[in-house]
Amino acid sequence: MTLLLDIAPFGVPISPDTTGQAVYRRFEEEPDTLAIAVVDADYRPVGLIERNTFLVRMAAQHGYALWSERPVSRWMRTDPVVADGDMTVAEFCGQVMEERPSELLQGFVVTCGGRYAGVGTALGLLQAVATAAASHAQEMTRLAEEAQTALAAKARFLAVMSHEIRTPLNGVLGVAEIIRRKTRDDDELAPFVETIIESGGALLRLLNDALDLSRAEASALGLEEEPVLAARLVEEVRRLWSPRAELKGLELRASYDGPPDLWMLADRVRLLQVLNNLIGNALKFTETGAVEVRVAAHVEGDYVRFRGEVADTGPGVPADRLETIFAPFQQTEAGQRLGGAGLGLAVCRQIVERMDGTIEARARPAGGALFAFQAPLHHLPGQQASEAPAPLPEVERSMHVLIADDNRVNRTVAETLCEMFGCTSESVEDGAAAVVAAESGRFDLILMDVKMPVMDGVEATRRIRSGSATGSRIPIIAVTANADPSDAEFYRRSGMNGVVEKPIKPEKLLAAMGAVLDMDEADAAAAVA
């Protein structure tokens, strides 16, 4: 914070009786002096002489002869701008620009306790403002760098915590899923198993929401666009949420308004994430009545105007919370009672805005809440239904699988799943052991953890790929808690054929195994041909 005293040098003042000749000589001897203050016997300012104005007067016809012997009191400025030296430059500029802007070029007198302390000039003000602006820019740059560093640190922390939480959660959910499949007819045990799976799923969703929010804040929330059949989204959410609605005694009504064969370019997973978050919230807060899901998609030129609405008959959102409900960690009183971190709606907003869309919440006249979002998506005319995603592949033959994971529980889960799929397996605890085992040529597939001691999964994959012909072509699936799109792409570039995220879902692992085996057989056929 720069004060006027800091930019107003103390130039020796003169008295009102000083002659013009003395002032002229002073300006000649002090070429950098732009103004001279005139003070009385008590050192109080009574006037100001500005250099250019004075020299023009003296240079006029007969000017020197006329004014050189006369006292400055006859022609000095008697009402200069006077300011206290404790005033900041910013305050002074704001005041002068509002009251007497034209006089700023003439200079101004700075006082301390009412007595002369220095003379300030427009040039000095400009220099001070420029210095302050540069300092402010440097400070803003520093703060931006600190904020970026903090975001990066938070992202690293969340990534580490994600891995550390997903690893034991893989054991919990994996074992629970295995128990559920092996005890389908045990009505006494089934509710407890379902509770484990539902609670673990809630923890996993919370973890994913935190990661998505962190990515969005760091502008790293990406969209993986693909052809999407708009009408199919409604069927997917209906199949997913109808059983839960029935368990609560609620009616789930889902409708689609638009052409049945309308295709668009969109991130299907993210669109479903928004719809699922909104539907999950609606079912969570609604005790009686119904939840309505309405999806509309209409062509507007080269775009599809996609709109989704979820309405419920729950307690609704208070009017004073409608504007802030999409901020992180914001919850209504009902939300606080039912639990949750208040991240789901914040993630929805980030996803929709990433799609250049908007999202809002409104109160329903009949009671309850209505959440609506819309986004412009690229239209894909002429897309055929046959180009829809193919059914998930299945493993059609018995395989011998190598499992590489340093966590005993994770190895047990993978071994049990392989057994359920009709496969045999062997396990090792680190990447170095996986490389040695792969060289034997006994395995049809490797399930490779990424973070392991001795040698990680990425390095192990590179060594396997560069090894002997016997084992170098074995399909490798990364089974990891670090499965962001950027991570998955890195694993594939490192030689892995597929990625399955922990906690492992049996159907996703089975699909990935079938997919990489199909690719391997296609490559082998091409090589023979």
Side-chain angles (χ1 to χ4, degrees):
M1 185 172 59
T2 305
L3 302 179
L4 291 181
L5 280 174
D6 299 328
I7 66 165
F10 182 87
V12 178
I14 60 177
S15 69
D17 298 330
T18 304
T19 63
Q21 183 180 27
V23 174
Y24 187 82
R25 187 161 48 257
R26 172 87 174 270
F27 279 130
E28 277 190 324
E29 294 172 352
E30 301 174 11
D32 293 333
T33 298
L34 301 181
I36 300 175
V38 182
V39 300
D40 60 17
D42 295 326
Y43 243 56
R44 298 184 183 279
V46 294
L48 186 69
I49 300 173
E50 193 269 327
R51 181 188 189 93
N52 288 338
T53 303
F54 172 77
L55 293 179
V56 168
R57 182 189 294 273
M58 297 297 283
Q61 187 175 11
H62 309 302
Y64 188 84
L66 183 62
W67 300 106
S68 62
E69 297 301 328
R70 295 187 181 184
V72 297
S73 59
R74 300 283 298 274
W75 40 268
M76 67 181 182
R77 283 185 57 209
T78 58
D79 61 340
V81 175
V82 179
D84 190 275
D86 290 333
M87 181 180 291
T88 66
V89 169
E91 292 172 338
F92 175 73
C93 289
Q95 178 179 316
V96 171
M97 292 302 293
E98 182 178 345
E99 299 176 358
R100 304 169 66 180
S102 62
E103 296 186 18
L104 198 59
L105 294 176
Q106 304 297 319
F108 54 93
V109 180
V110 177
T111 62
C112 184
R115 300 180 186 278
Y116 170 75
V119 174
T121 63
L123 178 61
L125 284 175
L126 288 174
Q127 291 173 334
V129 170
T131 301
S135 176
H136 180 70
Q138 291 176 350
E139 179 67 9
M140 290 299 101
T141 301
R142 183 186 65 79
L143 291 175
E145 290 174 350
E146 289 182 355
Q148 193 64 34
T149 301
L151 282 175
K154 183 173 75 171
R156 288 193 299 271
F157 170 77
L158 285 173
V160 171
M161 290 306 298
S162 170
H163 181 273
E164 296 305 317
I165 293 174
R166 284 176 188 274
T167 297
L169 192 57
N170 179 58
V172 173
L173 291 179
V175 171
E177 184 66 36
I178 291 168
I179 295 173
R180 178 168 69 174
R181 289 171 180 252
K182 290 191 173 186
T183 59
R184 292 183 184 276
D185 299 328
D186 191 331
D187 295 336
E188 183 179 353
L189 189 60
F192 300 105
V193 177
E194 289 298 330
T195 299
I196 295 173
I197 292 175
E198 287 184 9
S199 299
L203 178 59
L204 184 60
R205 286 192 296 274
L206 176 60
L207 181 62
N208 289 336
D209 284 346
L211 289 172
D212 282 339
L213 189 61
S214 176
R215 294 188 195 107
E217 290 175 345
S219 301
L221 183 65
L223 298 177
E224 300 291 329
E225 295 182 322
E226 60 179 325
V228 175
L229 183 61
R232 186 171 292 155
L233 296 174
V234 179
E235 295 304 317
E236 291 190 49
V237 298
R238 180 187 285 117
R239 284 198 304 269
L240 178 64
W241 293 103
S242 289
R244 181 171 173 182
E246 290 178 8
L247 285 175
K248 288 195 69 174
L250 301 174
E251 182 183 1
L252 178 68
R253 296 194 288 264
S255 63
Y256 171 69
D257 177 18
D261 58 349
L262 178 57
W263 287 82
M264 54 196 184
L265 188 64
D267 188 324
R268 171 183 160 278
V269 173
R270 294 298 185 187
L271 278 178
L272 285 173
Q273 185 177 357
V274 174
L275 285 169
N276 288 335
N277 273 350
L278 297 180
I279 296 170
N281 272 356
L283 290 174
K284 175 181 177 181
F285 293 112
T286 303
E287 295 299 329
T288 59
V291 171
E292 296 182 48
V293 182
R294 295 185 288 269
V295 171
H298 298 283
V299 178
E300 297 180 0
D302 295 332
Y303 291 87
V304 172
R305 179 63 60 181
F306 183 86
R307 181 175 178 84
E309 292 185 355
V310 177
D312 61 53
T313 55
V317 180
D320 60 342
R321 302 295 299 278
L322 290 173
E323 294 298 323
T324 61
I325 195 66
F326 293 101
F329 309 110
Q330 294 295 316
Q331 291 182 295
T332 62
E333 291 184 4
Q336 292 172 351
R337 287 196 306 271
L338 293 173
L343 292 178
L345 291 179
V347 172
C348 288
R349 184 187 68 176
Q350 296 287 356
I351 293 173
V352 172
E353 290 181 352
R354 183 70 179 83
M355 295 178 178
D356 296 325
T358 58
I359 187 169
E360 62 176 343
R362 298 197 301 268
R364 300 181 71 190
L370 170 67
F371 288 84
F373 69 95
Q374 62 83 29
L377 305 173
H378 284 281
H379 181 215
L380 295 179
Q383 192 84 4
Q384 299 298 318
S386 59
E387 299 182 41
L392 294 176
E394 295 183 358
V395 178
E396 298 180 353
R397 61 182 174 87
S398 177
M399 295 184 298
H400 193 46
V401 181
L402 174 62
I403 299 166
D405 198 308
D406 62 311
N407 185 282
R408 181 184 59 81
V409 175
N410 288 342
R411 291 196 302 272
T412 300
V413 170
E415 290 166 359
T416 307
L417 290 176
C418 285
E419 181 183 348
M420 290 172 57
F421 300 157
C423 303
T424 57
S425 64
E426 296 180 33
S427 297
V428 294
E429 298 181 9
D430 58 69
V435 174
V436 174
E439 291 176 350
S440 69
R442 302 194 315 273
F443 301 98
D444 301 300
L445 176 71
I446 300 176
L447 301 181
M448 184 80 76
D449 187 23
V450 172
K451 289 190 175 182
M452 293 183 288
V454 183
M455 182 185 297
D456 64 38
V458 172
E459 180 60 26
T461 298
R462 288 171 177 160
R463 296 199 183 188
I464 291 171
R465 293 293 181 238
S466 62
S468 64
T470 305
S472 62
R473 295 178 59 84
I474 301 176
I476 300 175
I477 296 177
V479 182
T480 176
N482 299 337
D484 284 349
S486 58
D487 293 327
E489 181 60 28
F490 172 69
Y491 301 149
R492 289 188 173 90
R493 289 199 308 268
S494 300
M496 296 180 176
N497 305 91
V499 181
V500 173
E501 186 179 32
K502 293 178 181 177
I504 300 173
K505 293 185 177 180
E507 64 276 10
K508 289 191 175 182
L509 177 59
L510 182 62
M513 292 168 68
V516 298
L517 285 173
D518 286 346
M519 288 189 294
D520 184 55
E521 291 173 356
D523 290 343
V528 172

